[in-house]
Amino acid sequence: MLRHTLASASALLLSLAGCAGSPHKTLPAGAHLPGTANIEAYPIEHLAVRSLIERFSDAANHADWKATEEMFTEDAVWEVQAPPPMGWTFEGREAIRQGMTGNVGRVELRVQTVSPTVIHVQGPNRATARSTLDEVLRFKDTGKDVRIVGTYADQLVKQGGQWKFARRTFIPRYDEPLPTVTGT
């Protein structure tokens, strides 16, 4: 039994070492690798992009706007495609910072979860991703809770060895006011 376990662990380690040590495949512009081939061609990039998306959600949940701001390129665009007052577009990292910190006075509570996430790496420095966001917000002025579900479509670039959002587009698909809970 121990011998079988060691053999399996050795095979796994050799496979992982092979992935980490293999040269990146360079795809022609617009090329698409079906199924898991894109993950196999770019395993480290997939992990790094997924980590960026998850760190963004974590930073938003904890109102860490400095960390969130640094996840965008200097010329990034972040938009919500919805009718006013929910829809907006921030162009450039400074506008994104101002938009995030400007919302602090309106939102008392933010809890968001991101899943599932599909990533397509287009090369060692470019990727796209699509993820589903489920978010609950409590607004200070009304005390009302709202649940929003939608899709993020992201364009990402690697700058200085770090993956960053070049463009984030959120498309709300569902929203509902949540019932007010009263004391018993």
Side-chain angles (χ1 to χ4, degrees):
M1 175 86 168
L2 178 61
R3 185 174 173 177
H4 177 71
T5 303
L6 289 175
S8 297
S10 296
L12 176 62
L13 286 173
L14 288 172
S15 295
L16 290 174
C19 285
S22 66
H24 297 291
K25 296 178 183 176
T26 302
L27 301 176
H32 177 68
L33 293 173
T36 60
N38 191 261
I39 299 168
E40 292 167 1
Y42 298 102
I44 304 302
E45 287 81 0
H46 273 264
L47 288 172
V49 167
R50 184 173 305 280
S51 174
L52 176 67
I53 292 167
E54 291 171 356
R55 286 184 293 118
F56 178 90
S57 183
D58 181 68
N61 285 338
H62 298 283
D64 187 349
W65 306 126
K66 180 67 175 159
T68 306
E69 174 188 353
E70 293 171 0
M71 295 178 198
F72 288 90
T73 63
E74 285 293 331
D75 60 348
V77 175
W78 185 17
E79 67 180 327
V80 171
Q81 291 183 351
M86 214 173 129
W88 41 260
T89 300
F90 301 132
E91 295 184 27
R93 189 186 285 175
E94 176 62 21
I96 290 169
R97 184 189 63 71
Q98 289 177 3
M100 287 185 295
T101 57
N103 246 351
V104 170
R106 294 182 50 219
V107 177
E108 178 181 342
L109 172 73
R110 174 188 323 272
V111 179
Q112 62 175 239
T113 305
V114 177
S115 69
T117 301
V118 177
I119 300 162
H120 180 74
V121 178
Q122 299 166 325
N125 298 315
R126 289 208 163 281
T128 59
R130 185 178 62 222
S131 55
T132 300
L133 173 79
D134 190 338
E135 181 174 51
V136 173
L137 300 168
R138 177 173 299 138
F139 294 97
K140 287 181 181 179
D141 61 341
T142 64
K144 301 280 183 188
D145 295 340
V146 176
R147 178 178 180 216
I148 302 167
V149 179
T151 302
Y152 260 119
D154 297 320
Q155 296 174 19
L156 307 108
V157 296
K158 188 190 273 186
Q159 293 182 339
Q162 298 292 313
W163 283 96
K164 296 185 180 262
F165 297 110
R167 183 175 198 96
R168 289 210 92 189
T169 301
F170 181 70
I171 302 165
R173 296 172 53 208
Y174 173 80
D175 66 85
E176 68 176 339
L178 296 176
T180 303
V181 178
T182 57
T184 56

